[in-house]
Amino acid sequence: MSEGMQTIIYPVKDAARAKALFGALLGVEPYADEPYYIGFKAAGQDVGLDPNGHAQGLTGPTPFWHVTDLPERLAALLAAGAELVQDARDVGNGRLVASVKDADGNMVGLLQDPVA
């Protein structure tokens, strides 16, 4: 089941410049500011900057759909013809992410937060 698209991740080459740009755009300071991820929350949306995104197959901004069972949703997308870009992996504290491309090459991300 999907909880909707709540996160968009931008692969960035210059994290400092991207952080300044998105800070100016969103008008907020990042809630996470680590070498591997910079995250902003604004208007109910989570906007992430990933300095390693290009190396992980992200080709541009990628919407991440929050799901309750990532392995099940990933399997369903692959069965429906999606192409695996990045298999499910834990990015910290039990948060799982994965990404696929649809038949038109559009990126689709999946994100599952740990069960509380």
Side-chain angles (χ1 to χ4, degrees):
M1 183 160 155
S2 173
E3 297 172 1
M5 189 194 69
Q6 301 173 24
T7 302
I8 187 161
I9 306 261
Y10 290 82
V12 299
K13 294 180 181 170
D14 185 330
R17 288 182 69 185
K19 180 171 103 173
L21 184 140
F22 279 89
L25 171 67
L26 300 170
V28 297
E29 292 295 317
Y31 71 86
D33 191 354
E34 302 294 335
Y36 57 87
Y37 184 79
I38 301 163
F40 296 88
K41 289 191 185 295
Q45 184 70 42
D46 195 344
V47 177
L49 309 176
D50 186 347
N52 302 307
H54 290 99
Q56 296 167 353
L58 299 182
T59 57
T62 302
F64 277 77
W65 292 83
H66 289 230
V67 297
T68 55
D69 187 337
L70 189 142
E72 178 183 51
R73 290 295 93 220
L74 181 58
L77 289 172
L78 295 173
E83 175 188 336
L84 183 65
V85 173
Q86 184 177 75
D87 206 353
R89 66 185 178 98
D90 188 318
V91 295
N93 299 321
R95 177 176 263 193
L96 302 176
V97 298
S99 55
V100 299
K101 285 184 186 177
D102 69 10
D104 294 304
N106 298 305
M107 295 289 293
V108 176
L110 298 174
L111 186 152
Q112 177 185 325
D113 280 317
V115 177

